[in-house]
Amino acid sequence: MAFLKGPNGEDVLPIKINGKPEPLDMNRVFPVVSSAQDKIVHYAQSATPEQAIRASESSYEAFLKWRQTTHTYRRDFILRAADLIESRRDKFVEIQVLETSCPLTWAQFNVQLITGCFREIAANISQATTGELPPLESPGALALVYQEPIGPVLAISPWNASMVISGRALAAPIAAGCSVVFKASELAPRVHHYIVETLEDAGLPAGLVNILQAARDHSPAVTEAIIAHRAIRKIEFTGSAAVGRIIGQVASKYLKPVLMELGGKAPAVVLKDADPKHAASKIIEGALLHHGQICMSTDRIVVVQDVAEPLIAELQSYLTAHYPNGAGYAVTKAQATRAHNLLINAQKAGARFLIGDASLRGASLTPTIITDVNSTHAIFHEEIFAPAAILTIVKDENEAIKVANETQHGLNAAVHSRDVLAALRVAKQIEAGQVHIGSITEYDEANIPIGGTKDSGWGRNNGKYALREFLVEKTITIHDPVANGNSFGTGK
C-alpha cells in the first residue's frame, strides 16, 4: 500500500497524479477513523483545486492515447485486473473492514461482485462499441455511425459499497476508452487507492486514473474545479440525493452530463397470500445488511392487513434468531446518531416502536421497526440508512401500491406473494428502477441494469448498460461527387 510518512511517522494516503504521489502538505491532512475500533487507523491528504486541475489535465493527455487502443486490448486489461483483484481478496476484505467497519461477509461479497462486474463489462465491449451503417436517401452516399468514448470522466464514489461502486465506476469508462479522475471517499480512501494500485499492477497507463480525495470542507471547491475543467466530459456520482442535487447543479452550470445513482427509500410490499416466514427473512436481511447503510436497503415494510399479524411475529422471530447481538456498526458515530434521532423524534411525535427501541451503543444502532409514521415525521421522507424500517399496514393491493409510491425516491423495491402474477402486477406499478419479487430489495447481479427513477437519479450501471453511458455516437458521411441527387438543401 502506497502510504507516505508524515513528520511523526503517520501513514498518509497521498494524491496521485500521472501515477506519482504529490508532495505532502501536513496542513491538509485528515484522519480516517474506524468506528468499530473507535480510533484513527491512518490519514489522507486533502486535495487542492490546483491539484484537481492538474489531475484533469493529466487525464486528458492519457485519454488521447487510450482512446486509440483496440477494444480487445481494453477487454484483456479489464480481465487481468479482475483476476488480480480476485487474487488480493483477503487484503481487500481486511481494508474494507478496517475503514468502514462493515461485516466480514459484506467485504467478501464486495470482492466477489466487483470481479463479476469487471468480467461482465469486458464481455460486452465488442457489442457495445459496434457501430452502424444506416441507409441514406441520397444516391452514392454512405453513413458511418461510430461508437466513441465520451472523454475524461469524473467518478465520485461512496464508502458504503466501497469496492463494488468504485470498481464499476472505473471499469466501465476505461473499457469504453475513457480516462478517469477518481475522487475517492474520505471515509474509505485506502480501499479506493488499493483498487487503483491493483489496476496499475495490471498494466494501467500513468494518468489514465488520477486519484484524489478531499476533506468535507475542501470537497466543494475541489469537485467544482474538476467539473469546470474543459477536459472533463461526464460525471458519475453515487451518493445521497442531497449531494446529488448539488452535483447536478454544478454540472448543469458547465453543461456536463451526469450519471447518478442516488438514495432510496425501498419498500418491501407483502401481499395477502405471501408466506410470512419467507417474507420476514428477506425483509430483515434487507433492512439490516451492512447496518442498513445501502441505498437499496429495505426502509419501508408495506403489508396487507390479512397477513400483518403473522408477518410481525415472524419478523421478531427471525431477528431474535439471527441477530441476537445487533447488526454491526455504522461507518461513524454521527451516522448512527442521525438515524437514532430520526426514530426517536418520530416516536415523540406519535409513532410507535414495534420491534427494538432505537437505542445506541457507540456506533451501533439497535435494530428497530417503527409504525404509525405519517408525512409530518422527518423519517417518512428521509432515508434512514440504518438497521431500521417503517411498517405500514394497508387494506389491500391497491393501497399497498399507493403507499409504496408515496416517496420522492425510486431506486429499489421488493414484492412478496405466492401468486407470481399478482406480484408481477404490483411490481410493474411500483415507481422504482428495480423491483425484486421474492428477494431482498438490494438484489443485484453484474449483468442486469441498476439505476433510479424520480429523486434516485438517472442512467444505468452494470455490464453493457454501464458501457453505453460512456460512449457517444459519431456520424461520418461520404458522398460520391458524381452521383445524381447529391443536392442537399436545394429541395430537389
Side-chain angles (χ1 to χ4, degrees), residues 99-116:
E99 286 193 319
T100 69
S101 300
C102 68
L104 185 68
T105 51
W106 178 248
Q108 293 167 338
F109 172 74
N110 263 253
V111 180
Q112 173 190 329
L113 184 55
I114 194 52
T115 54

Side-chain angles (χ1 to χ4, degrees), residues 242-356:
V243 177
R245 285 189 179 91
I246 297 170
I247 297 291
Q249 289 168 1
V250 176
S252 67
K253 177 180 174 181
Y254 298 102
L255 296 178
K256 305 291 176 75
V258 186
L259 166 59
M260 282 194 182
E261 184 184 314
L262 305 179
K265 202 159 179 66
V269 177
V270 184
L271 301 182
K272 64 181 181 180
D273 59 351
D275 176 351
K277 186 173 184 178
H278 176 79
S281 69
K282 298 302 179 185
I283 288 167
I284 293 296
E285 292 297 339
L288 272 58
L289 184 62
H290 192 13
H291 202 263
Q293 299 170 119
I294 306 170
C295 52
M296 304 175 288
S297 293
T298 302
D299 198 292
R300 297 176 296 145
I301 306 161
V302 183
V303 55
V304 173
Q305 60 188 7
D306 308 59
V307 74
E309 186 175 338
L311 178 73
I312 293 169
E314 291 291 353
L315 290 169
Q316 179 68 76
S317 176
Y318 189 90
L319 182 61
T320 301
H322 295 273
Y323 290 91
N325 300 314
Y329 297 90
V331 69
T332 63
K333 288 183 178 179
Q335 179 63 41
T337 300
R338 174 194 164 276
H340 166 79
N341 290 339
L342 278 175
L343 290 158
I344 293 300
N345 289 340
Q347 184 199 34
K348 289 178 179 177
R352 190 165 50 88
F353 292 143
L354 276 177
I355 297 173

